[in-house]
Amino acid sequence: MTSTIEFLYSTFKEENIEVETSIQVDEFLVLGNRSQLQQVLLNIFKNAVDAMENSKIKKLSIQISAADDNLSFTLVDTGHGVNEDIKSQILDPFFTTKDVGKGSGLGLSISQSIVSKMGGETSIRTAENSGAKVEIKLPKHS
Ligand SMILES: Nc1ncnc2c1ncn2[C@@H]1O[C@H](COP(=O)(O)OP(=O)(O)OP(=O)(O)O)[C@@H](O)[C@H]1O
Ligand SMILES: [Mg+2]
């Protein structure tokens, strides 16, 4: 997880995005496919970066913590957010608000299915013009 985040730092810099990271876990094993988990993270980061394209304040807060045998990964952005109508559709396959050729609309639906196969949960809180908060919870591997 941290290596994927480090890999993205140059993109954040290019886009003038301020990043605040809080990692409160030393080591936490989750069961799953590494590249699939990277795919999940890359998509939610890309969504956040895209959403902040025209934002005055561009800030990403990344939090990784552990609670009740779950690893929780939270990403908060200061992007355009989505309104109630759109919110109910963002997890649907092929739903996208991006221009043709820019987004397939599969990112979140694939991410959600990867996370749920790992026994985890995805939740998204967002409102129009108020950014978005995406939380992924993954169970600890015992
Ligand atoms: N952080 C976010 N802030 C605002 N809107 C978001 C955010 N994340 C997702 N969305 C909305 O949800 C839609 C679906 O997201 P999803 O990742 O599934 O597809 P996409 O990003 O459009 O395409 P792809 O992931 O294939 O590049 C986006 O088009 C966008 O409207
Ligand atoms: Mg996407």
Side-chain angles (χ1 to χ4, degrees), residues 2 23-29 64-66 71:
T2 46
I23 299 177
Q24 295 151 10
V25 200
D26 274 345
E27 208 171 84
F28 197 102
L29 277 183
I64 305 177
S65 59
L71 180 74

Side-chain angles (χ1 to χ4, degrees), residues 114-142:
I114 292 172
V115 170
S116 74
K117 268 193 206 134
M118 291 173 75
E121 277 172 31
T122 311
S123 70
I124 302 171
R125 268 202 271 166
T126 175
E128 197 163 17
N129 301 320
S130 301
K133 175 176 179 172
V134 180
E135 185 177 21
I136 289 172
K137 277 193 183 154
L138 295 168
K140 187 173 192 165
H141 177 44
S142 46

Side-chain angles (χ1 to χ4, degrees), residues 52-138:
M52 293 192 292
E53 195 181 346
N54 298 314
S55 298
K56 272 198 196 129
I57 298 170
K58 299 183 181 208
K59 190 172 166 189
L60 270 183
S61 307
I62 305 164
Q63 192 186 45
I64 305 177
S65 59
D68 305 329
D69 281 346
N70 276 306
L71 180 74
S72 158
F73 173 89
T74 310
L75 183 68
V76 178
D77 67 59
T78 56
H80 54 62
V82 295
N83 65 29
E84 281 300 315
D85 274 1
I86 292 182
K87 199 179 154 192
S88 60
Q89 304 176 70
I90 58 177
L91 291 169
D92 293 349
F94 303 111
F95 176 81
T96 182
T97 55
K98 295 174 188 171
D99 293 343
V100 178
K102 278 209 171 164
S104 69
L106 284 172
L108 282 177
S109 89
I110 292 175
S111 298
Q112 192 193 29
S113 74
I114 292 172
V115 170
S116 74
K117 268 193 206 134
M118 291 173 75
E121 277 172 31
T122 311
S123 70
I124 302 171
R125 268 202 271 166
T126 175
E128 197 163 17
N129 301 320
S130 301
K133 175 176 179 172
V134 180
E135 185 177 21
I136 289 172
K137 277 193 183 154
L138 295 168

Side-chain angles (χ1 to χ4, degrees), residues 43-44 46-47 50 98 105-108:
N43 177 61
I44 62 169
K46 184 175 180 294
N47 284 347
D50 288 349
K98 295 174 188 171
L106 284 172
L108 282 177

